[in-house]
Short mmCIF file of all heavy atoms in Angstrom, two decimals:
data_model
loop_
_atom_site.label_atom_id
_atom_site.label_comp_id
_atom_site.label_asym_id
_atom_site.label_seq_id
_atom_site.Cartn_x
_atom_site.Cartn_y
_atom_site.Cartn_z
N LEU M 956 74.28 112.32 148.53
CA LEU M 956 74.88 111.69 149.71
C LEU M 956 74.84 110.17 149.58
O LEU M 956 75.81 109.48 149.89
CB LEU M 956 74.15 112.11 150.99
CG LEU M 956 74.40 113.53 151.50
CD1 LEU M 956 73.48 113.84 152.66
CD2 LEU M 956 75.86 113.71 151.92
N GLN M 957 73.69 109.65 149.12
CA GLN M 957 73.55 108.20 148.96
C GLN M 957 74.58 107.67 147.97
O GLN M 957 75.21 106.64 148.20
CB GLN M 957 72.15 107.84 148.50
CG GLN M 957 71.08 108.11 149.54
CD GLN M 957 69.76 107.46 149.18
OE1 GLN M 957 69.70 106.25 148.97
NE2 GLN M 957 68.70 108.25 149.10
N ASP M 958 74.75 108.41 146.86
CA ASP M 958 75.71 107.98 145.84
C ASP M 958 77.13 107.94 146.39
O ASP M 958 77.90 107.02 146.10
CB ASP M 958 75.66 108.90 144.62
CG ASP M 958 74.35 108.75 143.85
OD1 ASP M 958 73.64 107.75 144.08
OD2 ASP M 958 74.03 109.64 143.03
N LYS M 959 77.46 108.95 147.17
CA LYS M 959 78.81 109.00 147.74
C LYS M 959 79.07 107.83 148.68
O LYS M 959 80.15 107.25 148.70
CB LYS M 959 79.05 110.33 148.46
CG LYS M 959 79.30 111.46 147.48
CD LYS M 959 79.48 112.78 148.17
CE LYS M 959 79.78 113.86 147.12
NZ LYS M 959 79.86 115.19 147.73
N MET M 960 78.05 107.48 149.47
CA MET M 960 78.22 106.38 150.39
C MET M 960 78.25 105.03 149.65
O MET M 960 78.98 104.13 150.04
CB MET M 960 77.13 106.38 151.47
CG MET M 960 77.22 107.54 152.45
SD MET M 960 78.91 107.93 153.04
CE MET M 960 79.40 106.39 153.78
N LYS M 961 77.48 104.92 148.56
CA LYS M 961 77.53 103.69 147.76
C LYS M 961 78.91 103.56 147.11
O LYS M 961 79.46 102.46 147.03
CB LYS M 961 76.43 103.70 146.69
CG LYS M 961 75.06 103.37 147.25
CD LYS M 961 73.97 103.52 146.20
CE LYS M 961 72.58 103.37 146.82
NZ LYS M 961 71.53 103.88 145.94
N GLN M 962 79.42 104.69 146.66
CA GLN M 962 80.76 104.72 146.07
C GLN M 962 81.80 104.30 147.11
O GLN M 962 82.71 103.52 146.83
CB GLN M 962 81.04 106.16 145.61
CG GLN M 962 82.10 106.31 144.55
CD GLN M 962 82.24 107.78 144.17
OE1 GLN M 962 81.26 108.48 143.94
NE2 GLN M 962 83.47 108.26 144.13
N SER M 963 81.64 104.83 148.34
CA SER M 963 82.54 104.48 149.43
C SER M 963 82.52 102.98 149.69
O SER M 963 83.56 102.35 149.87
CB SER M 963 82.16 105.21 150.72
OG SER M 963 82.23 106.60 150.52
N LEU M 964 81.30 102.42 149.71
CA LEU M 964 81.15 101.00 149.97
C LEU M 964 81.86 100.17 148.90
O LEU M 964 82.60 99.24 149.22
CB LEU M 964 79.66 100.61 150.05
CG LEU M 964 79.35 99.12 150.26
CD1 LEU M 964 80.02 98.59 151.53
CD2 LEU M 964 77.85 98.88 150.31
N SER M 965 81.66 100.53 147.63
CA SER M 965 82.30 99.71 146.59
C SER M 965 83.81 99.88 146.59
O SER M 965 84.55 98.94 146.31
CB SER M 965 81.70 99.99 145.21
OG SER M 965 81.91 101.31 144.83
N THR M 966 84.29 101.08 146.97
CA THR M 966 85.74 101.29 147.12
C THR M 966 86.30 100.38 148.21
O THR M 966 87.32 99.72 148.02
CB THR M 966 86.03 102.77 147.49
OG1 THR M 966 85.56 103.61 146.45
CG2 THR M 966 87.52 102.99 147.67
N ILE M 967 85.61 100.34 149.35
CA ILE M 967 86.07 99.51 150.46
C ILE M 967 86.01 98.03 150.08
O ILE M 967 86.90 97.26 150.43
CB ILE M 967 85.24 99.79 151.74
CG1 ILE M 967 85.58 101.19 152.27
CG2 ILE M 967 85.54 98.76 152.82
CD1 ILE M 967 84.67 101.69 153.37
N GLU M 968 84.97 97.65 149.35
CA GLU M 968 84.86 96.26 148.90
C GLU M 968 86.05 95.89 148.00
O GLU M 968 86.61 94.81 148.12
CB GLU M 968 83.54 96.03 148.17
CG GLU M 968 82.35 95.93 149.12
CD GLU M 968 80.99 95.93 148.41
OE1 GLU M 968 80.95 96.32 147.22
OE2 GLU M 968 80.00 95.57 149.04
N GLU M 969 86.42 96.83 147.11
CA GLU M 969 87.58 96.59 146.23
C GLU M 969 88.86 96.43 147.05
O GLU M 969 89.66 95.53 146.80
CB GLU M 969 87.76 97.76 145.26
CG GLU M 969 86.83 97.75 144.07
CD GLU M 969 86.88 99.09 143.31
OE1 GLU M 969 87.95 99.73 143.28
OE2 GLU M 969 85.84 99.47 142.75
N LEU M 970 89.05 97.33 148.00
CA LEU M 970 90.26 97.28 148.84
C LEU M 970 90.31 95.95 149.59
O LEU M 970 91.36 95.29 149.64
CB LEU M 970 90.28 98.43 149.84
CG LEU M 970 90.52 99.84 149.30
CD1 LEU M 970 90.48 100.86 150.43
CD2 LEU M 970 91.85 99.92 148.56
N HIS M 971 89.16 95.59 150.17
CA HIS M 971 89.10 94.35 150.94
C HIS M 971 89.45 93.16 150.04
O HIS M 971 90.21 92.27 150.44
CB HIS M 971 87.73 94.17 151.58
CG HIS M 971 87.62 92.93 152.42
ND1 HIS M 971 88.39 92.74 153.55
CD2 HIS M 971 86.87 91.81 152.28
CE1 HIS M 971 88.10 91.56 154.07
NE2 HIS M 971 87.18 90.97 153.32
N ALA M 972 88.90 93.17 148.83
CA ALA M 972 89.17 92.07 147.89
C ALA M 972 90.66 92.01 147.54
O ALA M 972 91.24 90.93 147.49
CB ALA M 972 88.34 92.26 146.64
N SER M 973 91.28 93.17 147.33
CA SER M 973 92.71 93.21 147.02
C SER M 973 93.55 92.60 148.13
O SER M 973 94.44 91.79 147.88
CB SER M 973 93.19 94.66 146.81
OG SER M 973 92.53 95.25 145.73
N PHE M 974 93.25 93.00 149.37
CA PHE M 974 94.03 92.50 150.49
C PHE M 974 93.76 91.03 150.76
O PHE M 974 94.66 90.28 151.12
CB PHE M 974 93.78 93.34 151.75
CG PHE M 974 94.28 94.74 151.62
CD1 PHE M 974 93.47 95.82 151.90
CD2 PHE M 974 95.58 94.98 151.19
CE1 PHE M 974 93.93 97.12 151.76
CE2 PHE M 974 96.05 96.28 151.05
CZ PHE M 974 95.22 97.35 151.33
N SER M 975 92.50 90.63 150.58
CA SER M 975 92.16 89.23 150.82
C SER M 975 92.85 88.31 149.83
O SER M 975 93.24 87.20 150.16
CB SER M 975 90.65 89.03 150.73
OG SER M 975 90.00 89.85 151.67
N ALA M 976 92.97 88.79 148.58
CA ALA M 976 93.56 87.95 147.53
C ALA M 976 95.07 87.90 147.60
O ALA M 976 95.69 86.99 147.06
CB ALA M 976 93.12 88.47 146.17
N ALA M 977 95.67 88.87 148.29
CA ALA M 977 97.13 88.94 148.33
C ALA M 977 97.71 87.97 149.35
O ALA M 977 97.21 87.86 150.46
CB ALA M 977 97.57 90.36 148.66
N ASN M 978 98.76 87.27 148.94
CA ASN M 978 99.48 86.40 149.89
C ASN M 978 100.69 87.12 150.47
O ASN M 978 101.20 86.77 151.52
CB ASN M 978 99.93 85.12 149.20
CG ASN M 978 98.75 84.29 148.74
OD1 ASN M 978 97.84 84.04 149.51
ND2 ASN M 978 98.76 83.89 147.47
N SER M 979 101.16 88.12 149.74
CA SER M 979 102.30 88.89 150.20
C SER M 979 102.30 90.24 149.50
O SER M 979 101.47 90.50 148.63
CB SER M 979 103.61 88.16 149.86
OG SER M 979 103.81 88.22 148.45
N PHE M 980 103.23 91.10 149.88
CA PHE M 980 103.32 92.41 149.26
C PHE M 980 103.63 92.31 147.78
O PHE M 980 103.29 93.19 147.01
CB PHE M 980 104.38 93.27 149.94
CG PHE M 980 103.94 93.77 151.27
CD1 PHE M 980 104.66 93.49 152.41
CD2 PHE M 980 102.78 94.51 151.39
CE1 PHE M 980 104.24 93.93 153.65
CE2 PHE M 980 102.35 94.97 152.62
CZ PHE M 980 103.08 94.68 153.76
N GLN M 981 104.29 91.24 147.39
CA GLN M 981 104.62 91.05 145.98
C GLN M 981 103.33 91.02 145.15
O GLN M 981 103.34 91.39 143.99
CB GLN M 981 105.43 89.76 145.76
CG GLN M 981 106.92 89.90 146.07
CD GLN M 981 107.20 90.30 147.52
OE1 GLN M 981 106.67 89.71 148.45
NE2 GLN M 981 108.04 91.30 147.70
N ASP M 982 102.24 90.58 145.79
CA ASP M 982 100.96 90.51 145.09
C ASP M 982 100.28 91.89 144.98
O ASP M 982 99.33 92.04 144.24
CB ASP M 982 100.01 89.55 145.81
CG ASP M 982 100.55 88.13 145.83
OD1 ASP M 982 101.46 87.84 145.05
OD2 ASP M 982 100.06 87.33 146.65
N LEU M 983 100.77 92.84 145.79
CA LEU M 983 100.17 94.17 145.78
C LEU M 983 101.13 95.14 145.12
O LEU M 983 102.27 95.26 145.55
CB LEU M 983 99.92 94.65 147.21
CG LEU M 983 98.91 93.88 148.06
CD1 LEU M 983 99.04 94.29 149.51
CD2 LEU M 983 97.49 94.14 147.57
N SER M 984 100.68 95.83 144.10
CA SER M 984 101.56 96.82 143.48
C SER M 984 101.65 98.04 144.39
O SER M 984 100.76 98.27 145.21
CB SER M 984 101.03 97.23 142.11
OG SER M 984 99.80 97.90 142.26
N SER M 985 102.71 98.82 144.24
CA SER M 985 102.85 100.01 145.08
C SER M 985 101.71 100.98 144.79
O SER M 985 101.26 101.71 145.67
CB SER M 985 104.19 100.69 144.84
OG SER M 985 104.30 101.07 143.48
N SER M 986 101.19 100.97 143.55
CA SER M 986 100.09 101.89 143.22
C SER M 986 98.83 101.51 143.99
O SER M 986 98.07 102.38 144.41
CB SER M 986 99.83 101.90 141.72
OG SER M 986 99.39 100.64 141.28
N VAL M 987 98.61 100.20 144.19
CA VAL M 987 97.45 99.76 144.98
C VAL M 987 97.54 100.35 146.38
O VAL M 987 96.57 100.88 146.91
CB VAL M 987 97.36 98.21 145.06
CG1 VAL M 987 96.39 97.77 146.15
CG2 VAL M 987 96.94 97.62 143.73
N LEU M 988 98.73 100.27 146.96
CA LEU M 988 98.90 100.76 148.34
C LEU M 988 98.77 102.28 148.43
O LEU M 988 98.14 102.78 149.35
CB LEU M 988 100.26 100.30 148.89
CG LEU M 988 100.39 98.78 149.11
CD1 LEU M 988 101.82 98.41 149.44
CD2 LEU M 988 99.45 98.30 150.20
N THR M 989 99.37 103.00 147.47
CA THR M 989 99.27 104.46 147.54
C THR M 989 97.85 104.94 147.22
O THR M 989 97.35 105.85 147.87
CB THR M 989 100.27 105.17 146.59
OG1 THR M 989 100.23 104.51 145.32
CG2 THR M 989 101.68 105.11 147.12
N GLN M 990 97.21 104.30 146.25
CA GLN M 990 95.82 104.67 145.92
C GLN M 990 94.88 104.39 147.09
O GLN M 990 93.94 105.14 147.32
CB GLN M 990 95.34 103.90 144.69
CG GLN M 990 95.82 104.49 143.38
CD GLN M 990 95.54 103.54 142.21
OE1 GLN M 990 94.64 102.72 142.27
NE2 GLN M 990 96.34 103.67 141.16
N SER M 991 95.17 103.31 147.82
CA SER M 991 94.34 102.95 148.97
C SER M 991 94.32 104.10 149.97
O SER M 991 93.27 104.45 150.51
CB SER M 991 94.87 101.70 149.65
OG SER M 991 94.90 100.64 148.73
#
């Protein structure tokens, strides 16, 4: 359970980083959005 939640946290951190770094949709690939 702990591992799953740690995995969840790092996934969310990655997503947050992707969105924070993007200035527009052009910066986000469609795969990033579908994988999210």
Side-chain angles (χ1 to χ4, degrees):
L956 286 173
Q957 292 193 56
D958 291 344
K959 284 178 178 175
M960 292 317 301
K961 283 175 188 163
Q962 202 179 313
S963 299
L964 178 57
S965 62
T966 299
I967 290 170
E968 284 170 344
E969 281 168 32
L970 290 179
H971 182 63
S973 298
F974 294 129
S975 301
N978 295 311
S979 71
F980 286 122
Q981 279 60 49
D982 298 343
L983 295 167
S984 65
S985 59
S986 64
V987 165
L988 293 171
T989 45
Q990 280 169 24
S991 302

